[in-house]
Amino acid sequence: MTDVLLAVGTRKGLFLARRRSSAGGKAGEWEFDGPHFNAQAVYSIGIDQRPGGTPRLLVGGDSSHWGPSVFRSDDLGATWQEPKRPAVRFPEDTGASLERVWQLQPAGPAEPGVVYAGTEPAALFRSEDGGETFELVRPLWEHPTRDRWAPGGGGEAVHTVLTDPRDPRAVTVAVSAAGVFRSLDGGASWDPSNTGISAVFMPDPHPEFGQCVHKIARDAADPDRLYLQNHWGVYRSDDAGARWTSIGDSLPSDFGFPVVAHPSRGDVAYVFPLNADADRVPAERRCRVFRTEDAGKSWQPLSTGLPEAAHYGPVLRDAMWSDGADPAGIYFGNRNGELYASADEGESWRQLASHLPDVLCVRAAVIG
């Protein structure tokens, strides 16, 4: 058993939990701390483990009084630093101002100082100093389709950033509601990459762009294999996003927000289906995570230890995550303020907390 850090962003602050293992390897109980950034909405968390030693925590806070900011900690949340000038800000010539940081994503080991930030308004920012300062990636901001992008229900945002472990110049983003965009040249140019993804709310249900993609995850064994949760539709790509195929037919609903790939096993991914876009509660009013072990050919409901009564807690796009342990820990929180954990890859669950503020994002990592 290993030491695990769990970071939970909520509508009213950040909660940190740590589970330490004893000398004999037996897992201890979770120890909670928080809230940090009390009364701030925390929509994004990054855990940067690349330097070695203690990970750097990055948090996107959103104060109703002071506005959005990015905080960092190099001692697991004991102390926090905030730059004197905003870490993420739009250049004056864009005429835009930052509303929220939706994603903080460390790049791969080949770029040890690089961190990406996805924001609302929909933009991508890049840091080369570990998340202390960021620069706007202008080619995406100035994309020729931008004037036809439309905000999703949560706003117009870059909410997913994926880097390719084989090639640091290959970056994939998801924009709500403009769809998937890919760059193969380090962000110098971007192409829509939505072939096969539906947009049921548009006159043309298969446009080049305009899809309301909710989340994307990369397979652990095959970097070209991606899983995507759409606004209606669960998809898989086997060519790094060039084309997409539906894999949601056997789910009780293919509407939902999160999708999480297993951290080490190929063909394994997790989703949390909701009834419908107009009925955003767990599918069939049952609290269940669904797992595929064959890249979406079939899905298995996982509910042992989860509430059996009618349930109404939706799980948001970044509110489910895995920790990288073996066996993998899977975690999710919902808008009821409930937090659940599985130490056996979803086979069984336990509730870690209840009555938290709305859970907006969850991140977890093995730290020792």
Side-chain angles (χ1 to χ4, degrees), residues 297-318:
K297 295 177 184 176
S298 63
W299 294 89
Q300 172 192 6
L302 307 171
S303 59
T304 301
L306 294 177
E308 296 181 1
H311 202 264
Y312 298 88
V315 178
L316 300 180
R317 74 177 87 244
D318 271 311

Side-chain angles (χ1 to χ4, degrees), residues 13 25 54 113 131 148 165 169 174 177 184 186 191 201 220 234 241 258 274 315 368:
T54 303
R148 288 170 284 165
R169 294 173 59 80
L184 301 178
D191 292 313
F201 44 82
V234 179
L274 303 181
V315 178

Side-chain angles (χ1 to χ4, degrees), residues 26 42 60 77 98 124 158 165 224 298:
K26 185 177 180 181
V42 174
L98 180 65
L124 182 67
V158 172
D224 281 331
S298 63

Side-chain angles (χ1 to χ4, degrees), residues 162-230:
L162 296 180
T163 57
D164 191 318
R166 303 161 299 183
D167 180 3
R169 294 173 59 80
V171 183
T172 299
V173 301
V175 185
S176 181
V180 181
F181 288 78
R182 292 195 301 162
S183 175
L184 301 178
D185 52 18
S189 63
W190 296 84
D191 292 313
S193 193
N194 301 289
T195 301
I197 305 173
S198 70
V200 297
F201 44 82
M202 297 184 70
D204 175 2
H206 293 282
E208 181 187 15
F209 64 92
Q211 289 82 351
C212 188
V213 174
H214 288 172
K215 199 65 188 176
I216 311 174
R218 190 183 299 276
D219 188 80
D222 182 357
D224 281 331
R225 175 161 288 174
L226 305 177
Y227 305 98
L228 183 151
Q229 174 68 67
N230 197 45

Side-chain angles (χ1 to χ4, degrees), residues 27 43 45 47 67 132 154 159 187 191 196 211 249 302 310 332 340 350:
Y43 281 85
I45 302 167
I47 303 179
E132 298 183 30
H159 55 68
D191 292 313
Q211 289 82 351
D249 289 348
L302 307 171
F332 72 90
Y340 296 95
R350 61 176 293 200

Side-chain angles (χ1 to χ4, degrees), residues 22 46 72 77 83 87 131 137 144 147 165 182 210 213 230 244 253 268 276 302 319 327 332 334 344 364:
S22 66
R72 64 186 189 276
V137 179
D147 62 351
R182 292 195 301 162
V213 174
N230 197 45
W244 299 89
S253 168
V268 182
L302 307 171
F332 72 90
N334 61 31
D344 53 14

